[in-house]
Amino acid sequence: MNEVLITADRVIAGPADQVIDKGGVLVGSGIIAAVGAASELDASVDSRVPRLRCAGATVLPGMMDCHVHLAFDAGPDLISAVADADPDELSTAITTRAQQMLAAGVTTVRDLGDRDDLTVAVRASIDSGATVGPRIVAATAPLTAHGGHCGFLGGEVTTDDDIRAQIARNAAAGADVIKVMASGGALTPSGPRMWEAQFTPGQLRLIVEEARRHGLGVAAHAHGTETIGHCVAAGVRTIEHCSWRTAEGIVYDPEITDRIVANDVSVCRCVSGDWQLFLEQMGSERAAAMVKVIQEMREAGVRFIAGTDSGVPGARFGDYVGMLEFFASLGFGHAEILDMATVNSAHALGLSDTGVLAPGMRADLIVVDGNPLTELDALRRLRHVFTAGRPVTG
Ligand SMILES: [Zn+2]
């Protein structure tokens, strides 16, 4: 049922050093049935199965965006836009934005903060097949301090009991992950500053323990150097932003980084497609300091995962490849970048059925013109996108 044999100049099965020249992928019933040499698959697969012959193209795993906000419109006044939106209209907007990501080759998105659990309803509609869209991993309302970063999303907590209740609420609503705003953020100027902690180390440990009790991992928004250390000690699974801020500017701590690596914590260094403008606005000195800490983390062996923070002001949906190009501009290799966007992101999100092309995996894959291992821009030239074996039509 719905079988198709895709053949191309190469298949990047993943990790990105696993390349099959003149390769093929047999898709069947939502999962990958076989991966191998095109000639062998062509000969062995029933001739009634349709062939998608993609000369000049590469087949690779669908890409993943580990940090988006589907409820946000990327405009300058998103807080009132989110708060004032009619739920039905906001649901439609969430679906449209998710589909924009899918059209850009992103087959999995992790939403790290929405309103009224609306992404969970969209996720259900996609999973049932009623709506075409990417796989959604949803955090629902992020835990934050009273009056803190993104409190308008409904996840404000003060006491330990509040924390337990909010996590139980999110889990019951269908959250796949618990998001905590461990430090302040730029979006909420009335709350703590970006480098200031919103939770004590003990509260962060409680959040991780409670999330684990509900079978969930924790994604921690953390700009502050001290907060990053506390999040790692508490046992979070991913650090979002990880910008090493203090009141005195960027202060990098290699000992915390060693613990990030040792504890298998992944870092989502959110970068929008418009990063060049963002760096210009930062000024050359601060931009250079920001880039330097990313290089130091990379040299220390940190596992980076891909995230755009799409939805926050200036971070448009569907400009995913622009984010990958930021890492290329820092000297990351193309294979390293593709792994960041696929297998490493799947690992960090605890998804064992996507991120590589192998028999039994979800058929989340893309076909692009050219070879992204030599030319990242090839990722913008999408010929086909499959999500759970379903072809996406434009
Ligand atoms: Zn965010």
Side-chain angles (χ1 to χ4, degrees), residues 67-69 72 112-113 149-150 179 181 187 221 240-241 270 308-310 312:
H67 192 133
V68 302
H69 298 277
F72 295 179
L112 286 183
H149 182 50
C150 289
K179 167 85 179 292
M181 301 300 196
L187 204 58
H221 159 110
E240 310 300 312
H241 309 293
C270 303
T308 56
D309 218 352
S310 286
V312 303

Side-chain angles (χ1 to χ4, degrees), residues 72-97:
F72 295 179
D73 66 1
D77 193 18
L78 72 89
I79 296 180
S80 44
V82 172
D84 298 344
D86 168 78
D88 288 341
E89 283 174 19
L90 193 51
S91 278
T92 304
I94 286 171
T95 303
T96 304
R97 292 167 193 152

Side-chain angles (χ1 to χ4, degrees), residues 6 27 29-31 62-63 98-99 102-103 105-109 126-127 129 131-136 354 361-366 384-393:
I6 307 165
V27 173
S29 299
I31 61 160
M63 299 183 288
Q99 289 171 338
L102 184 61
V106 177
T107 53
T108 303
V109 299
I126 291 169
D127 289 350
T131 301
V132 178
R135 184 187 212 170
I136 293 177
T354 194
M361 304 293 277
R362 258 173 75 106
D364 293 338
L365 58 91
I366 59 176
H384 306 281
V385 177
F386 285 79
T387 174
R390 193 169 170 179
V392 177
T393 47

